[in-house]
Amino acid sequence: MRNPAITAVLSGLLICWAAMVAAFEIEEDTLFAGTGTGGELRILSTTDTGIFAPLLRAFQATRPDVSIRYTVASSQEVYRALYDEGAGYDLAISSAMDLQMKLANDGFAQPFRGAAGFDWPAWAHWQDRLFAFAQEPVVLIVSRAGLGDLPLPRTRQDLISLMRDYPDVFTGRIGTYDPTLSGAGYLFATQDARQSDTFWRLAEVMGGMHPRLYSASGAMIADLQAGELVMAYNVLGSYAEARLDADAGDVIVALEDFTLTLLRTALIPQQAPSPELGAAFLGFMLSPAGQQIIETQTGLPAIDESALAAGPHLRPIRLGPGLLVFVDPLKRERFLEEWRAAVQQPSDQP
Amino acid sequence: MSSARATSPSIRQRLVLQLVVVAALLSGLLYLSVRTVADAAVETTQDSILGAATTTIADELRGGEDGIEVDIPYTAFSMLGAIGQDRVFYRIMVGNQTVTGYDDLPAPDGTASGLEPRYYSRPFRDVDLRIAAVSRTVLVQGRAVEAVIIVGQTRQGQAAIVANMANRAAALGLGFFVVATLLSILTAGTVLRPINRLAEAVGRRGPQDLRPIHRDAPRELAPFVTALNGFITRLGGALSRTETFIAEAAHHIRTPLATVRAQAEIALRQTNDDATRTALRSVVRAVDASARSAGQLLDHATVVYRTDQRTDERLDLGALTRDIARAFEPTADLREIVIALDVPVDPVQVTGDRLLLESALRNLVDNAIKYADPETQVDIALKLGDGRAEILVCDRGRGLSGVQAQALTKRFQRGENVGDVVGSGLGLTIVNEVAQAAGGSFDIVNRKGGGACATLQLPLS
Ligand SMILES: Nc1ncnc2c1ncn2[C@@H]1O[C@H](COP(=O)(O)OP(=O)(O)OP(=O)(O)O)[C@@H](O)[C@H]1O
Ligand SMILES: [Mg+2]
């Protein structure tokens, strides 16, 4: 699932070329060549090409004439590319809801009307500019083997007690996002802090355990599987679901006090060279067929109101102006400072 | 009869129209006021939320030794998402410097007013913003510094709510208008009912009904009813005076004429002087003519009076014809004329004034006998056919000598054929008027083989 053979042309040269032209940092750049002269759909995304490829190909099956250039960058870079550099993309997909919200709020997104009868849940879009196409819980992953006889934590309170009572087990073997490096990590941390005061206690206790800090979920999962981590806090549920092996004793825990639910969002940038292609692809993603493919072939959970209703602990991060608060540079600075003070204890500093 | 009278638009229509116009105006007013109030209410609500958000940020400003500390609370912005999905912009200024936010967001004119938020609307980038500004003084390094917090928000949510309310207000106004219109129609009906009842009551009356109106009329109609009653009383008085006058006039003319005629007859018998006899005979003749004229004039006056004051009854035309024919037997005998009757045995029902019909028939038979040759036969027939009865009076005499019936029915119009026959020229006028009043018709034509044939048609009842 994670490494499907990419049949489209993947050109290493192109990556170099693109990296030279764009000031923002690109991780992957893939061209899915079309048959004819339907133009080129340019997508800037934080989601790995491997995950998105089935959806891209399904779209290309309906529009064989359209070539798709799929560019992957970090959420900060996606934001910077559009906000500061006015990069020419027809669709911007990101897991950093706050940055996407900032783009939409500041007028960097075009309206999308959708086909007749298109009706998206109110919590899954903001105005007609920002649309969520996937929802996924942010989870705790635990290595059963590493935990030994200790009980699985079910709430953050459990987690705090567990770390306090058994520091030997957890010291140096807890992983979480570094919010200073990762947009998603920053979003999760700020939303955690907003949801409950336990976050700061958790951060402090975790800080006492000398946690390992990551910039991506994938690395945390890999380290947990390698036995280097006992637990990783705030991991993207879809990645964990796809890669963790229950037989090996790795457990995904959706904490019961609350579990943030991230919405992956897409917008059509104001300066899109062919916004009609962006709109076509967005419409396809949000259509029942597109949602079906997202659910079954990309491993990302589709937008599903009933799933939220079934899990009372699931808290979708609200798309709204509240998210803008954390994008404010002063606010960000303050928050990260506080976070550092809590997590990086004096003994860490050289 | 009165179809030619031009009628002005009905009171009911006018009343309903005016009430509907008033209802439409009030509905429009209702719509406008609901809209205005809703608009103001939503704006005030939005403003207070915006103001609260701004104040919340201001409350979190802290002074200190290393400068001002800004910590925008999450709730400050999340509450702005409460009403709709509006775009939010903010700017925090210390002194004249923008510390954070959008440095092109319009600042309030003049100095900010203190902790009470100040609201203003400004265009910003591609949108129109409603902006709240709050200023606060903070101590930085022991010096008082003024900080201004500006938060702007688009008003799409408000516009949507106002549009929604406007729709409801429109529906409300329309509903009000419909109800008011229905009520107007109802009210017009109620208000006009007494007038309609009065008009009906007056219209229903028979022509001879001259009783005053005793119906309860609304106060506004009382003068009208009083005037009408006075008019009816005067009309009744005038009519009865006319009746008395006609009867008295007939009496006063006939009585002295009869005396003159009797004296002349006696004198005629007592004298043998031829010249005197001739003179006396012409006196008798002139008296006869005068008496006839007076009689016919009074008959005609009676006919005119009674056509206005008809007392219709159901009567048997056959019996009536027979009676008249019998009454004329002696006169006919004098000229050795035979009256031949052809009248059905079964009753022939007509509705009409007995006096008028008798008068008409008498004049027809009188003419037939008068203008017939002696020793002839006068045929009186009563025939029936599609809803009409037809009385034919035919004689064998001098005929009409080419004069048309139309001319003969004129008043005082006698034919050229009259010779020495006494007459006034009113007989056929009476017949024609009776025929008209009864809804029938009259005609007189020459009879084949000599003489004249008069036809009086009447509707059967
Ligand atoms: N049966 C008839 N035969 C011939 N002429 C007639 C006959 N009836 C009426 N006329 C003509 O019509 C004229 C009008 O008739 P009408 O009865 O009105 O008047 P009148 O007989 O002359 O007078 P009176 O008023 O005394 O009856 C008559 O003068 C006569 O010339
Ligand atoms: Mg006559």
Side-chain angles (χ1 to χ4, degrees):
Chain A
M1 195 107 194
R2 191 83 174 99
N3 287 314
I6 297 166
T7 50
V9 187
L10 171 67
S11 161
L13 271 175
L14 259 172
I15 298 178
C16 296
W17 171 81
M20 281 191 299
V21 172
F24 65 98
E25 220 171 285
I26 285 174
E27 292 171 5
E28 270 182 285
D29 191 61
T30 312
L31 179 69
F32 295 77
T35 57
T37 52
E40 190 181 69
L41 163 64
R42 309 185 64 192
I43 302 175
L44 183 58
S45 169
T46 59
T47 310
D48 294 351
T49 316
I51 290 183
F52 237 60
L55 190 66
L56 299 174
R57 265 193 234 98
F59 174 71
Q60 217 165 28
T62 67
R63 297 283 302 271
D65 53 326
V66 177
S67 302
I68 304 173
R69 179 173 301 285
Y70 190 77
T71 310
V72 178
S74 76
S75 53
Q76 287 282 357
E77 294 303 305
V78 168
Y79 169 74
R80 229 163 47 71
L82 296 176
Y83 204 96
D84 300 332
E85 293 172 18
Y89 285 94
D90 304 318
L91 198 67
I93 293 171
S94 174
S95 51
M97 295 169 68
D98 45 359
L99 298 179
Q100 293 279 85
M101 184 64 210
K102 172 87 172 163
L103 283 171
N105 182 75
D106 289 8
F108 288 88
Q110 293 189 22
F112 168 75
R113 305 249 174 265
F118 169 71
D119 184 24
W120 212 233
W123 53 269
H125 70 99
W126 184 79
Q127 290 195 352
D128 51 1
R129 318 230 165 195
L130 187 59
F131 289 86
F133 62 91
Q135 63 188 47
E136 57 185 301
V138 182
V139 296
L140 173 78
I141 53 175
V142 183
S143 157
R144 239 336 340 170
L147 202 59
D149 306 334
L150 299 178
L152 268 184
R154 296 174 58 188
T155 64
R156 283 173 181 72
Q157 201 56 54
D158 289 354
L159 194 57
I160 291 169
S161 319
L162 211 56
M163 287 190 284
R164 277 209 182 120
D165 297 347
Y166 305 96
D168 319 347
V169 180
F170 298 104
T171 303
R173 301 184 69 199
I174 276 201
T176 192
Y177 268 113
D178 182 348
T180 59
L181 296 179
S182 155
Y186 178 69
L187 176 65
F188 299 157
T190 52
Q191 290 297 318
D192 267 355
R194 190 178 83 62
Q195 290 282 350
S196 122
D197 292 337
T198 28
F199 171 75
W200 289 114
R201 256 194 308 138
L202 180 67
E204 250 164 58
V205 173
M206 219 187 268
M209 303 290 121
H210 305 291
R212 296 212 206 172
L213 300 179
Y214 294 82
S215 60
S217 285
M220 279 190 265
I221 296 167
D223 281 1
L224 188 93
Q225 282 172 320
E228 286 177 35
L229 292 180
V230 177
M231 286 197 300
Y233 177 73
N234 276 356
V235 176
L236 281 171
S238 67
Y239 286 41
E241 197 79 55
R243 298 192 17 206
L244 277 188
D245 187 358
D247 296 339
D250 300 327
V251 190
I252 298 173
V253 180
L255 292 172
E256 284 166 19
D257 47 349
F258 67 87
T259 290
L260 292 176
T261 300
L262 173 81
L263 302 178
R264 285 182 192 262
T265 54
L267 58 82
I268 303 166
Q270 197 63 57
Q271 67 272 35
S274 16
E276 69 290 343
L277 286 182
F281 185 72
L282 182 54
F284 177 72
M285 277 206 293
L286 304 183
S287 70
Q291 286 284 298
Q292 176 76 22
I293 292 164
I294 287 174
E295 177 86 38
T296 58
Q297 295 183 38
T298 67
L300 301 174
I303 292 294
D304 181 5
E305 201 143 18
S306 58
L308 292 179
H313 57 297
L314 296 180
R315 301 273 159 81
I317 299 173
R318 244 200 294 154
L319 279 176
L323 286 172
L324 300 176
V325 170
F326 300 107
V327 187
D328 181 78
L330 287 183
K331 180 82 181 176
R332 184 180 160 88
E333 206 47 57
R334 256 183 87 84
F335 182 86
L336 291 178
E337 215 161 90
E338 233 170 296
W339 181 86
R340 266 185 229 111
V343 172
Q344 297 175 337
Q345 318 258 306
S347 59
D348 290 353
Q349 251 100 72
Chain B
M1 269 190 295
S2 60
S3 60
R5 203 191 311 148
T7 47
S8 52
S10 93
I11 299 183
R12 187 193 167 84
Q13 273 170 16
R14 262 193 279 179
L15 196 62
V16 169
L17 191 75
Q18 281 176 13
L19 287 175
V20 165
V21 167
V22 169
L25 284 176
L26 286 178
S27 303
L29 218 64
L30 180 74
Y31 169 75
L32 283 181
S33 46
V34 169
R35 248 205 93 135
T36 318
V37 168
D39 218 352
V42 176
E43 170 140 315
T44 313
T45 313
Q46 282 270 66
D47 274 356
S48 24
I49 297 176
L50 191 61
T54 315
T55 316
T56 313
I57 298 172
D59 288 346
E60 292 297 320
L61 285 189
R62 305 256 184 280
E65 281 310 304
D66 2 307
I68 202 154
E69 247 180 65
V70 179
D71 184 9
I72 305 168
Y74 175 81
T75 46
F77 284 2
S78 70
M79 71 169 88
L80 293 178
I83 285 194
Q85 299 188 317
D86 279 302
R87 291 163 69 179
V88 173
F89 301 94
Y90 64 100
R91 178 183 186 185
I92 298 173
M93 293 164 72
V94 175
N96 274 331
Q97 264 189 325
T98 302
V99 181
T100 187
Y102 303 73
D103 50 18
D104 49 344
L105 191 65
D109 302 327
T111 48
S113 52
L115 274 182
E116 271 307 299
R118 239 172 79 181
Y119 302 102
Y120 49 100
S121 303
R122 284 296 148 73
F124 174 66
R125 296 190 183 170
D126 56 335
V127 284
D128 287 315
L129 290 188
R130 184 71 178 163
I131 302 176
V134 167
S135 89
R136 251 197 84 179
T137 315
V138 207
L139 278 182
V140 179
Q141 294 164 338
R143 276 193 310 115
V145 181
E146 201 198 28
V148 183
I149 297 96
I150 307 166
V151 179
Q153 191 184 21
T154 55
R155 281 287 150 104
Q156 285 163 29
Q158 178 185 337
I161 294 174
V162 168
N164 187 1
M165 293 216 180
N167 283 347
R168 282 195 215 175
L172 193 72
L174 204 71
F176 176 81
F177 176 71
V178 169
V179 170
T181 303
L182 290 179
L183 285 179
S184 306
I185 293 171
L186 230 81
T187 307
T190 321
V191 166
L192 293 179
R193 193 165 308 137
I195 298 181
N196 289 339
R197 282 219 215 97
L198 192 68
E200 252 172 56
V202 173
R204 240 195 341 257
R205 290 173 159 240
Q208 67 278 29
D209 185 354
L210 291 180
R211 286 169 304 159
I213 297 161
H214 284 307
R215 178 170 284 283
D216 282 339
R219 200 183 319 135
E220 288 79 0
L221 286 180
F224 170 72
V225 172
T226 312
L228 192 61
N229 279 343
F231 178 69
I232 289 173
T233 315
R234 267 178 285 137
L235 182 64
L239 281 175
S240 67
R241 272 199 302 282
T242 312
E243 211 168 356
T244 327
F245 173 76
I246 290 170
E248 277 175 3
H251 179 72
H252 282 292
I253 294 171
R254 279 205 187 110
T255 317
L257 280 180
T259 317
V260 172
R261 195 179 193 279
Q263 296 296 328
E265 291 272 7
I266 293 167
L268 195 59
R269 252 181 264 134
Q270 285 170 350
T271 185
N272 290 327
D273 179 30
D274 273 352
T276 314
R277 289 179 73 93
T278 317
L280 281 174
R281 259 194 213 102
S282 70
V283 166
V284 170
R285 242 184 88 83
V287 166
D288 278 351
S290 296
R292 176 72 186 169
S293 280
Q296 287 291 78
L297 262 173
L298 295 173
D299 256 14
H300 183 242
T302 313
V303 165
V304 170
Y305 165 71
R306 287 196 75 100
T307 43
D308 284 343
Q309 286 289 299
R310 249 157 55 207
T311 21
D312 282 355
E313 57 184 302
R314 285 167 68 80
L315 32 89
D316 178 6
L317 200 57
L320 196 93
T321 314
R322 272 192 289 268
D323 289 350
I324 299 287
R326 197 169 310 124
F328 272 94
E329 289 291 347
T331 327
D333 280 350
L334 284 178
R335 304 197 65 209
E336 292 183 40
I337 287 171
V338 181
I339 297 177
L341 261 177
D342 176 16
V343 175
V345 192
D346 294 337
V348 179
Q349 295 289 351
V350 293
T351 305
D353 188 322
R354 172 182 291 275
L355 221 81
L356 294 187
L357 288 178
E358 274 176 0
S359 182
L361 271 181
R362 220 186 300 117
N363 269 294
L364 287 183
V365 179
D366 176 66
N367 276 357
I369 294 170
K370 230 168 31 174
Y371 299 109
D373 293 339
E375 297 169 39
T376 54
Q377 177 173 310
V378 168
D379 295 299
I380 302 178
L382 176 57
K383 289 181 189 163
L384 299 175
D386 54 280
R388 324 201 111 231
E390 202 173 54
I391 299 170
L392 288 156
V393 182
C394 303
D395 63 80
R396 291 277 174 217
R398 61 197 79 179
L400 299 177
S401 49
V403 188
Q404 293 297 309
Q406 224 181 336
L408 297 178
T409 52
K410 286 210 179 105
R411 268 196 282 174
F412 302 110
Q413 193 71 53
R414 305 202 69 203
E416 283 151 13
N417 56 350
V418 290
D420 58 350
V421 177
V422 177
S424 65
L426 277 172
L428 292 188
T429 312
I430 293 171
V431 176
N432 195 41
E433 272 170 16
V434 170
Q436 299 296 329
S441 64
F442 167 71
D443 198 13
I444 183 164
V445 290
N446 274 328
R447 191 182 187 187
K448 240 195 191 150
C453 220
T455 319
L456 175 63
Q457 272 195 354
L458 295 170
L460 284 172
S461 65

